[in-house]
Every structure is written in C-alpha cells, then in structure tokens.
Amino acid sequence: MHRDYELHPTPPSVADYLRLRAESGLSPKTPEQAAAALPGAWASFHVTHADGRTVGMGRVLGDGGWYFHVVDMAELPDHQGRGIGGELKEALLRRIREAAPPGAFVTLLADAPGRPLYLKHGFTETAPGSIGMALTL
C-alpha cells in the first residue's frame, strides 16, 4: 500500500461507513443499520489517506471458531489501484489466521469487480457444489 495511506484495526465511523458504501457503489444503508452493524463485527479495519479522509474499509463477521464471512469491502474509486483493497484483505485474513483454530472457513459474496482481488488471495468459486443464497427482510 502506498505510503500516503494508513491501516487502522478498527471500524470506520458511522458517517464514513455510510459514505464509503455510497461512493464505492455498495448498497446504501441507514445510520441505524450502520450503528448496529459496526460494533457487531468480529474484526474491522479501515484505511485513511494522508489528508485525514477514510478511503477504505473491510469487516469480518464470525463465530471465532470456524466460520468467518468477509463483508463491507470498499474503497473510494479515486483511491483504487494503490493496494488498499489487497492490504485490507490481507489484514482481515491475517487476523483470522492468528486467532482461529485450524480449519477456519472464510466466505464472501463477490461482485464482478472484486473477483480478481479475491481470486488473487486464494478464494475459489464454490458453484456448482454450493451457491450463495439471500433473503432481504
């Protein structure tokens, strides 16, 4: 990651979380959703630029034993291509490797633009053996 950036082992603020989701193309969330979600993560990281702005984030939801799900991977479009996504992914995987017992299962839902990054970090597609399913309430 470029020297103008700093990785922090904490979640972004609610305002930065909402802004990062909106500006990076993720689905919008409400302040109430963000306030409940951020402290519920098993692990969180965010990246700031030298100008003080939060420009990237990533979180893991998990049970601490064997199941971990990567969520909220986002970086601002004007900061892409500088290693932020890779550094966030590595930090999250490092945290899991350090804390989880052997056999940890790490999952994520990969949108098309993020697939090359995930493949580069050892993720594989699970279909047709299993497919992701979702229900929005």
Side-chain angles (χ1 to χ4, degrees):
M1 187 166 58
H2 191 272
R3 61 183 166 83
D4 288 342
Y5 298 94
E6 184 175 353
L7 180 70
H8 306 274
T10 57
S13 69
V14 167
D16 285 336
Y17 175 83
L18 295 171
R19 181 179 53 79
L20 282 168
R21 287 191 65 86
E23 293 181 20
S24 68
L26 297 179
S27 59
K29 299 299 171 200
T30 67
E32 294 79 18
Q33 288 171 316
L38 291 173
W42 184 83
S44 297
F45 287 88
H46 74 280
V47 173
T48 54
H49 185 260
D51 66 9
R53 288 185 57 205
T54 298
V55 298
M57 66 176 176
R59 299 187 312 132
V60 170
L61 308 179
D63 60 18
W66 78 275
Y67 191 76
F68 301 88
H69 187 69
V70 177
V71 298
D72 291 332
M73 287 294 297
E75 64 185 277
L76 296 179
D78 56 334
H79 292 271
Q80 292 176 359
R82 299 176 189 168
I84 294 170
E87 185 67 27
L88 283 164
K89 180 71 65 214
E90 279 301 312
L92 293 169
L93 292 175
R94 190 168 43 253
R95 176 73 54 87
I96 294 168
R97 284 184 186 104
E98 290 169 354
F105 187 65
V106 183
T107 62
L108 55 81
L109 294 174
D111 293 332
R115 289 179 192 150
L117 173 67
Y118 304 132
L119 290 168
K120 179 181 173 183
H121 288 271
F123 286 85
T124 59
E125 293 184 19
T126 60
S130 62
I131 60 168
M133 299 180 80
L135 171 66
T136 300
L137 302 176

